[in-house]
Amino acid sequence: MSTPIRIGLIGTGRVGQVHARSVAAIDDAELTWVCDPFVEGARALAARHGGRVTADAGDVFAADDVDAVIIASPTPTHVALIAAALDAGVPALCEKPIDLDIDKVDTLRARAAASTVPFALGFNRRFDPHFAALHRRVVEGDIGRLEQLAITSRDPAPQAKEYVESSGGIFRDMTIHDLDMARFFVPDIVEVTARGANQFDAAARELRDYDAVQLILRGAGDELITITNSRHSAYGYDQRLEAFGDRGLLQVGNVGPDVVRGYFERSVEAAGPYHSFFVERYVDAYRLELVEFLKAVRGETSTSPGFEDGRAALVLANAGQEAARTGASVRVDLSA
Amino acid sequence: MSTPIRIGLIGTGRVGQVHARSVAAIDDAELTWVCDPFVEGARALAARHGGRVTADAGDVFAADDVDAVIIASPTPTHVALIAAALDAGVPALCEKPIDLDIDKVDTLRARAAASTVPFALGFNRRFDPHFAALHRRVVEGDIGRLEQLAITSRDPAPQAKEYVESSGGIFRDMTIHDLDMARFFVPDIVEVTARGANQFDAAARELRDYDAVQLILRGAGDELITITNSRHSAYGYDQRLEAFGDRGLLQVGNVGPDVVRGYFERSVEAAGPYHSFFVERYVDAYRLELVEFLKAVRGETSTSPGFEDGRAALVLANAGQEAARTGASVRVDLSA
Amino acid sequence: MSTPIRIGLIGTGRVGQVHARSVAAIDDAELTWVCDPFVEGARALAARHGGRVTADAGDVFAADDVDAVIIASPTPTHVALIAAALDAGVPALCEKPIDLDIDKVDTLRARAAASTVPFALGFNRRFDPHFAALHRRVVEGDIGRLEQLAITSRDPAPQAKEYVESSGGIFRDMTIHDLDMARFFVPDIVEVTARGANQFDAAARELRDYDAVQLILRGAGDELITITNSRHSAYGYDQRLEAFGDRGLLQVGNVGPDVVRGYFERSVEAAGPYHSFFVERYVDAYRLELVEFLKAVRGETSTSPGFEDGRAALVLANAGQEAARTGASVRVDLSA
Amino acid sequence: MSTPIRIGLIGTGRVGQVHARSVAAIDDAELTWVCDPFVEGARALAARHGGRVTADAGDVFAADDVDAVIIASPTPTHVALIAAALDAGVPALCEKPIDLDIDKVDTLRARAAASTVPFALGFNRRFDPHFAALHRRVVEGDIGRLEQLAITSRDPAPQAKEYVESSGGIFRDMTIHDLDMARFFVPDIVEVTARGANQFDAAARELRDYDAVQLILRGAGDELITITNSRHSAYGYDQRLEAFGDRGLLQVGNVGPDVVRGYFERSVEAAGPYHSFFVERYVDAYRLELVEFLKAVRGETSTSPGFEDGRAALVLANAGQEAARTGASVRVDLSA
C-alpha cells in the first residue's frame, strides 16, 4: 500500500460529512485533522472517521501531518481559507462558490494564477460517472460538432428562507452548478439570456428571488445552451443533460438506487423513485472528485476545475441575474 | 383505383367484427356478403360496413360477387367451411384453429395440399408490425444464428368457463398462438416439454385444465424456445418476444396507445396502461394479415401461414398437453 | 353507414396527398373534387383516391357536391381561399400559416370571428395521439399546476434555400408549430425571448436566417416555456414534449415504426430509427385532425384550433424573430 | 470507530481478490491473514491490502488475530476448510459450491446444522441491490402472490475447457447461481424439468456437457419458474429477473457503468455496453454480502444463505442434469 495522503477537513456540515465518508472509502487517504468552530460537530465526525479535532483552521495549516485540505466551511470563509492554503503552499479542494462577491474573488485571482500548488474547486458534477462518460464521448467526437446543450436541474424542495437570504439567490446557489456544467462542454461562454419566474415559493418572492429560471447561453462557436431550473420537483432530484451535435445526441437521465421496474394495472415500466438529493445522487462524484484531487496532490495530474472555473461560474451567475431582471441578453468575456 | 376485391364474411362475433373494420380501412377491398346464423348480428354488421346478409354460408359460396371469404365462425364449423371453399375454389382466410381434433384436420390435409387456391390461416401475430420487424431482422442475420427464443404471453383475465369447456383448453386456445410464433422463427420443432399449474382459476381446475403453463420446445437445429403463459395479467395484455443469437438479442416489449411517460413522487418513467387485449393490440396485425391475403388473392404472392401451419400448431398443442400431463418430453415430427 | 361528407381538396403537394390518404382511410368521408393549377398533380391524386379534377378553386366552391374543403395549397393563396370559403359558407380546414404577413391575416380577422361556419387551422400536432394524451392528463390535473414546458423540435435536414426564401424563415415555417403547441397548453403567452444561431447551414446564413433557435416564452400565469429548434437532426425527426407541474412531470418522446430493441456488442437497448419526417410521424395526427373537423362539419363539435390560433402563432413567431435579432424580450398581447 | 473485524482470506484467485477489495472498502474490517499455496499470489495481494502471508490454511485457523475467514479457494478444498472452521469455531464465508459431490456435502450436514457459529455461503446475487430491492418488494406484497419467475443468465463467453472438466458442468458451475436465486423467492422447490443443447461450444460437446440450458422448476405452491442459460452472450453479461404475481410484475434488467443513451442515424436510445462479467456486475453484491456476514460475526443478525442453501442448490443442479439427460421431470425433496 502506498503512503496515504493525510487530509485536514475544514467544515463538518452536510458536505463536510460527505467528504469525510469519501476519504474513508479511499484506500490511500486518511483523515488527520477535523476542524469546525462548532467543535462538537468536529468531534462527532472525528469519532467516526478519525483525525484530531480543532476549532481553529490555523492549526490545520500549521500541522506537519497534513498533505492537503478540504474546505467545506460556509461560503464567507472561503476566500480567507483559500488565501491561507496559498500562503502555506497546501493543496486545497474548496467547495463552491469561491465567494458571492466577484470583487472578493478577484482579490485572489492573480495569486491563484501564479500558484503551482494544486487547487481544485468543488464542481463535483464533472466527476459524476454518467456526465463524465457523456463528456468523454463528446470529446471523442461521437456526436460530431457540439451545437446545442440542454441542462435540466431541479431541486426536490425549496431551500429554507434563511439559506436563500445568504446564498445569493437561485442563480448563485443553484444555477451556478449548471453554469459550470455548461462550461465543462463549452468553456468560452459569450452571452447570457435569462428569465425568472415566481411560481410557488412565497419566500423567494419576498426576497425578490425566483423559484424557477430558464437560461440561454451562447458559446464562442455559436453553440446554444439551455438551463432549466426549478426549486422543487415532485419526483425527486432532477439532474439531466442532453448534448446535441451534427452527428447525434447523447443523453443522461436521472438515476435511482436500483433498476427495478414495476408493471401494474394503472402504470407499467415504472422505475423509481430517483435519488432524493445530491448527497445520494452525487456520492460517486464526490469520491471521484477527491480521487482526482489526490492524484494532483501526488503530482500525477493537474486539477480541474480550478480557481478560474470557480470565478467564471460566478461571472455567469451574475450575468444571469442581470439578464433575468432586465430582459436583455448580457455579453460576457470570461478571459477579461 | 383498382377494382376492389369483394369479400364474404362468415361469422360476425368479436373477431368477425375486427375483420369487417379491416376491410373498411383497406381502400381496395369491400364487404359484399355478411353471413351468420344469428342473422341479427349479420344485419348489424352489414348496416355499418355494407354487404348483403344471409344466415346460410352456402349463399356466400354460390354468389357471383364474392372473390374471397373470411371464415370467422365458431371452430366446429371450420372444417366444413374450408371444405366448401376448396370445393368452390374460393380463396379463404380462416381463423385458427382448423379444428380441435387432429383427425378431422387430417381429413382435409391432402385436398388442402393439392389446392392452388389461396388459403390463409389466421395466425395474425406474424403480421404484427413489431414481431414482423423483429423477424425480418433475424432473417437478415442481425443476431447471427438463432439459438434461443422466449415468448411471453399472458391474457388479461381468464376466459369464461363455458369458453374453456369447448376451446380444448389452454394449450389449444391460447398457447397455440405462441406455438405458431415459435414456428415463425423455427418451423421444424422436434420436441415439446411442458409443465402446467393451477394457481388461481377454480374453473380451470374443475375442467382439469391449467391456468399457467411453461413450455420448452426444441428445434431441429437444437434451438431452445420457451413459452410462458398465464390466464391473467394485472398489467394488461402481455405479449413479448426475445430472439437470442450468437451475435445479439432482439426484443419486442408490450405496446400501448401512447408513449406518454409520467414522473411522480412514488414512481418515475411510468408508461401505460398497455393495450387491454388482442382487439386493440393486434388491430394492425389483422389489417396487414388481410392486406397480405388480398395480395395472394390477386396472385401477387402466396399465402403464409397456411393449412400445414395450422395443423402443425395443433400437433404441438396436443404434444404440449401430453407433456404437461406426463412430465416427459414428447418427440414430434411435423412432416409426418 | 351515414352519408359521407363530400370533400374538395385544394392543393396536391406533399401535405395535400397526406390529406387525401386520410380521407380514404375515413369511412364516412369521400373526395369529390381535387384542385390544383398544376392539373397533372390533381389528376394523379384523383386517379388514386377519386374526385373530379379542376385547376380552378372557384369550381370547388361553386360545386353542389362539396360539403367542406381542405386548403393545402401554397401559403400565398390561403387568405384568398379562406375568404372564398367564408363567402361561400363552406367549412374549411386550412394548412398553416394563414399568411406570413400579419396585416393580411388581419384583413380576415373580423369576418372570421363573425362567421359561424366551421374553420379549422391545420396545427395537426394537437391531434397527435401522444401529445393529445399528455395534454388530456395535464388538463385532468395529473401534474397539478403547469409551471414549465419544454418543446424540442428538430427537422431531419435543412429545407431547400428556395423554400426558406419564401417561407418567412425558421420562426415562421418551423417554430410556428411549436408556438402553437405552447399555446395548446398555455394559450395566453405574454412575453417572448429568443436567440438564434448559425451553426451549419450556409443558405440560412446567406438569407440572414438561423439554423438553430432557442426560445423562452412566459405565460400569463408566470409559466416558463422553452422551445428548442434545429434545422437538422442525425437521428431522424425529433419531436418531444415535457410538461412539468408541482405534482409531477409528463413526457412524450420520439416514436418509430416499431418497438424492436437490439442488444449488441457495442450498444444495447437500441431502438429505431425513428420516423424520418412529419408525413410518417404525424399520419395519425392528420387523420384525427380531419375526423375532428368532420365532426364540426356535422355540427357535433366546434373546431379548434381556429383562425385566432393561427393568428396568435404568427404574432409569436414575429415576436420571436424580433427578440432573436435584438436580444431583448418582447411583450405580446394576443387578445389585442 | 468500532474495532475492525480481523479477516483471514483463504484463496487469492479472481474471487479472492474481489473479497480483498471489499474488505478494503469496508471501514470496520481489515485483512490480517492471506493464505494461498501459490504463495506469490498471497504476497501480491497482501502487498496491496495488508495481512500476513501463509501457504497453510492451518496457520489462519490457529492465529489469534482472526475473527472470521473467507474461503475463496478451489472447490475441492471447501469441505475440509469448512470442517476446519466448524472445528475452530471460526465464522466463515465460503464461496459456492460446498462441493460437487452431494455425499461429501452430506458428511458436514449434521455438524453444520448443530453449529451456532456463523456460516455463510457465497451466493452473492441475493445481495445485489437490484435483485434485493425486487425481492423486498415481492416480500412486501407489491405483486400479490408470486406465480411465475423468469431468470435469465448468460455468461459473456464460454469457460475454458479445463475449467468445465473440473467444474461439474453447466448445471453445477453456472445454473447453480440461478437455482439459488429461484430459492431466494421460492425456497421449497419440488420438481425440476430441464433441457440442454449444444449450439456452439465444441468443448462442451466433447465433455458431454451443454452450452445452453432451459429449466422449469415447480415450487410447493405450484409456482412455475424458468431459468434460461447460455455460455455466451454477444452483448455482455446477461443477468435478468422477472417476478410475476396476481397483482403485477417486477423486473430487473441489465446494468452498465453509466446511463448515457445515444441517438444516431441507425439506432436511437442506445445504452451500453453492459458490465462485462460478474466482477463488475456484482461488485456491490460482494461488498454487501460481506457487510451482512460481518453483522452476523458481531452477533447482530444470523447469516443467510447458509449451509442448507448451498446443499439445496447442489441437489437442484443434480436434478437438472438428470432431467436434461432423461427428458423426464425429477421430483425433489429438499428437506429430506
Side-chain angles (χ1 to χ4, degrees), chain C residues 32 42 60 62 69 119 124 130 134 152 169 174 176 179 210 215 218 229 233 245 301-302 310 312 316:
Chain C
T32 49
V60 178
V69 297
F119 177 82
N124 57 77
H130 311 289
L134 189 154
T152 302
M174 182 175 172
I176 198 168
L179 291 164
Y210 307 106
L215 293 88
R218 186 192 303 274
N229 285 162
S233 165
T301 60
S302 57
L316 295 176

Side-chain angles (χ1 to χ4, degrees), chain C residues 234-236 254 261 263-274, chain D residues 234-236 254 261 263-274:
Chain C
Y235 49 92
N254 285 310
R261 294 207 169 253
Y263 298 71
F264 300 101
E265 188 181 349
R266 287 162 176 279
S267 71
V268 295
E269 303 176 18
Y274 291 135
Chain D
Y235 49 92
N254 285 310
R261 292 206 171 254
Y263 299 70
F264 301 100
E265 189 181 349
R266 287 162 177 280
S267 71
V268 295
E269 304 176 18
Y274 292 135

Side-chain angles (χ1 to χ4, degrees), chain C:
Chain C
M1 292 189 287
S2 59
T3 316
I5 291 179
R6 297 163 301 175
I7 291 175
L9 173 66
I10 303 172
T12 62
R14 189 163 50 170
V15 172
Q17 290 168 35
V18 171
H19 285 299
R21 284 195 295 272
S22 293
V23 174
I26 294 173
D27 243 12
D28 55 358
E30 65 176 311
L31 214 52
T32 49
W33 283 84
V34 180
C35 168
D36 202 307
F38 169 59
V39 79
E40 287 314 309
R43 269 189 203 123
L45 193 147
R48 267 187 85 84
H49 299 293
R52 294 166 66 183
V53 169
T54 179
D56 177 3
D59 293 345
V60 178
F61 290 109
D64 60 1
D65 59 349
V66 167
D67 300 316
V69 297
I70 298 174
I71 303 172
S73 51
T75 298
T77 68
H78 288 184
V79 165
L81 289 167
I82 296 170
L86 290 170
D87 284 349
V90 175
L93 165 61
C94 180
E95 276 303 308
K96 64 95 229 170
I98 300 174
D99 196 273
L100 295 175
D101 180 343
I102 189 70
D103 293 336
K104 288 200 187 149
V105 172
D106 282 345
T107 61
L108 289 177
R109 196 178 186 194
R111 287 165 72 192
S115 169
T116 58
V117 176
F119 177 82
L121 201 85
F123 285 125
N124 57 77
R125 293 182 195 176
R126 295 194 184 203
F127 300 95
D128 172 68
H130 311 289
F131 296 139
L134 189 154
H135 184 265
R136 195 160 44 240
R137 290 176 64 175
V138 169
V139 169
E140 288 166 357
D142 262 29
I143 59 167
R145 192 166 42 82
L146 180 68
E147 294 175 353
Q148 296 181 310
L149 193 71
I151 301 168
T152 302
S153 177
R154 295 182 177 114
D155 275 358
Q159 301 280 359
K161 189 177 174 189
E162 295 67 36
Y163 175 86
V164 179
E165 276 176 326
S166 65
S167 77
I170 189 168
F171 282 99
R172 281 186 286 236
D173 76 38
M174 182 175 172
T175 313
I176 198 168
H177 281 289
D178 306 302
L179 291 164
D180 182 67
M181 183 58 73
R183 290 193 63 253
F184 189 27
F185 289 85
V186 182
D188 193 6
I189 301 294
V190 299
E191 183 197 78
V192 180
T193 304
R195 308 309 291 136
N198 288 97
Q199 297 178 339
F200 54 88
D201 183 17
R205 186 183 295 272
E206 276 177 53
L207 295 168
R208 307 197 49 190
D209 194 21
Y210 307 106
D211 49 28
V213 297
Q214 305 265 183
L215 293 88
I216 304 170
L217 312 180
R218 186 192 303 274
D222 225 11
E223 303 90 347
L224 292 178
I225 302 164
T226 51
I227 295 174
T228 297
N229 285 162
S230 177
R231 285 283 199 191
H232 72 175
S233 165
Y235 49 92
Y237 195 38
D238 193 3
Q239 298 282 294
R240 288 177 286 154
L241 181 63
E242 274 192 23
F244 171 81
D246 61 339
R247 282 170 41 197
L249 176 84
L250 292 171
Q251 196 179 55
V252 165
N254 285 310
V255 183
D258 63 65
V259 302
V260 180
R261 294 207 169 253
Y263 298 71
F264 300 101
E265 188 181 349
R266 287 162 176 279
S267 71
V268 295
E269 303 176 18
Y274 291 135
H275 288 305
S276 53
F277 205 12
F278 72 94
V279 173
E280 293 79 22
R281 172 65 183 82
Y282 289 122
V283 61
D284 287 335
Y286 276 106
R287 188 174 44 77
L288 294 166
E289 171 189 61
L290 190 54
V291 167
E292 283 304 303
F293 173 64
L294 295 178
K295 281 190 199 162
V297 173
R298 290 188 193 281
E300 297 166 17
T301 60
S302 57
T303 52
S304 168
F307 187 91
E308 279 298 311
D309 299 298
R311 183 184 180 276
L314 183 63
V315 169
L316 295 176
N318 288 344
Q321 181 135 332
E322 181 189 337
R325 296 232 162 112
T326 63
S329 298
V330 174
R331 301 286 303 178
V332 291
D333 179 354
L334 297 177
S335 62

Side-chain angles (χ1 to χ4, degrees), chain A residues 234-235 261 263-274, chain B residues 234-235 261 263-274:
Chain A
Y235 49 92
R261 294 207 171 252
Y263 299 71
F264 300 100
E265 188 181 350
R266 287 163 176 279
S267 72
V268 295
E269 304 176 20
Y274 291 135
Chain B
Y235 49 93
R261 292 205 172 254
Y263 298 70
F264 300 100
E265 188 181 350
R266 286 162 177 280
S267 71
V268 295
E269 304 176 19
Y274 292 135

